[in-house]
Structures are given as structure tokens and as C-alpha cells.
Amino acid sequence: MPASYQAPMRKDQSKSRTQSQSAATNVQSNAASVAQILKGKGEDVFSIKPSATLGAAVQVLRDKRIGALIVTDDAGDLCGILSERDIVRKLADTPGQTLPQSVSDVMTPKVETCGPDEALVSVLKRMTAGRFRHMPVLAAGKLMGMVTIGDVVNFRLTELEHEALQLKQLIVG
């Protein structure tokens, strides 16, 4: 006697689903890394000395169209970060007296950093939890770049668009 037809069940389709957005795949060792962002955007880092004035820092931020500067000592080692947010807070505290002050008085001295091999999802979680938008990248103690939350989000959106296009091509073609 022939077997009767049975419609596919939910569990039958579980193997054909994509796993691109699961928590497990986002933290795999082959997940996107900081190095991939630096490869695309370059390793240019704009820095300033702790002894420079906030006026000089504001000019660099404006001219380079960036939101933060790495503060480095004479040896080029990281000693802080100065963001637009730091400057705005100081402006509120000392109106009309802010620009002549030194970067070292306003910068954030304790800086969260990451390595080039760190997964982007990890960096994004740290930035979100710490409520900051810029993270210097260090390799063997040397500054090699900076990633922003915008870089990370843009990279992930581009990946998702690429995955969606591939899926669409599989379905259509």
C-alpha cells in the first residue's frame, strides 16, 4: 500500500533557515573583526598632545570632520581621548573660558581600547554599555587606528544587505 502524503512540518524546515543573525554565529571566531573595518577605512589616526589647548583641538575636529582625537605623549603612546562631548561639558562648566584650557584638563584619561582581532559584536556591546562612540585600536601596545560606533553599524548593515542579496539570488535563480 502506498504511503500517504504528509505536508512538511515546521521541524522539517529548520535546516534550511539562515543562521546569519543568531547570537551563536555573531560571536563565532570567523565573525567580522575590527581589522576588517580598519582595512576598509584606513589606519589614519588624528591625535593631539595633552599640552595643546582646547581651541587647537576644536580646530582639528572641525577641519578633519571627526568627533574625537586620540591624546598621545611625545613617544606616540596613548594617554587619553578627547571627544566633542568632553568639550561640550567643559563649555557648560566654564563658559567663555574653555578654549584656552589644556587638553589634559578635559580629556578622558581611562580609555577603552580593542585589538584588531576583536569581534565587532564585542566592540559594539562595549561601546553601547560604556556609552561612548570612539575606540582606539592597539596592537602590541601601539596605536594602529580607531573605530567608531558608526563604522561598526555601517559594516554590519553592509553585511546584512549583501546576505539579503545572496538569499534573493538563491530564491530567484
Side-chain angles (χ1 to χ4, degrees):
M1 185 165 201
S4 63
Y5 172 77
Q6 183 175 2
M9 300 177 79
R10 185 177 294 176
K11 67 179 180 179
D12 295 336
Q13 297 174 1
S14 64
K15 292 181 182 166
S16 65
R17 289 185 183 170
T18 179
Q19 299 295 317
S20 65
Q21 295 182 35
S22 73
T25 57
N26 280 339
V27 294
Q28 288 178 347
S29 60
N30 64 350
S33 69
V34 171
Q36 289 172 287
I37 287 181
L38 292 181
K39 184 174 152 186
K41 77 178 265 186
E43 297 179 359
D44 289 341
V45 179
F46 299 104
S47 64
I48 196 161
K49 301 290 181 228
S51 58
T53 65
L54 288 181
V58 167
Q59 288 177 348
V60 174
L61 292 169
R62 179 201 60 208
D63 294 347
K64 301 297 182 184
R65 301 176 58 94
I66 56 176
L69 289 167
I70 301 294
V71 184
T72 57
D73 61 17
D74 290 333
D77 293 328
L78 177 70
C79 58
I81 190 166
L82 179 70
S83 70
E84 293 168 323
R85 188 178 292 172
D86 295 327
I87 296 167
V88 167
R89 286 184 181 136
K90 195 60 167 179
L91 279 167
D93 292 342
T94 59
Q97 306 166 23
T98 306
L99 296 181
Q101 295 183 38
S102 71
V103 167
S104 62
D105 294 336
V106 182
M107 71 180 193
T108 302
K110 185 177 179 187
V111 183
E112 287 271 342
T113 63
C114 62
D117 297 328
E118 191 167 343
L120 291 183
V121 69
S122 170
V123 170
L124 187 58
K125 284 180 182 179
R126 289 172 52 201
M127 288 175 143
T128 302
R131 299 179 53 93
F132 56 89
R133 297 174 295 191
H134 302 85
M135 186 179 284
V137 182
L138 298 179
K142 291 293 178 192
L143 191 60
M144 64 175 295
M146 182 160 56
V147 293
T148 68
I149 200 162
D151 296 333
V152 177
V153 169
N154 186 49
F155 187 90
R156 185 62 182 138
L157 286 174
T158 302
E159 274 187 328
L160 290 173
E161 287 174 1
H162 181 69
E163 288 174 17
L165 182 61
Q166 286 181 326
L167 286 172
K168 187 176 183 179
Q169 289 174 348
L170 283 173
I171 291 169
V172 173

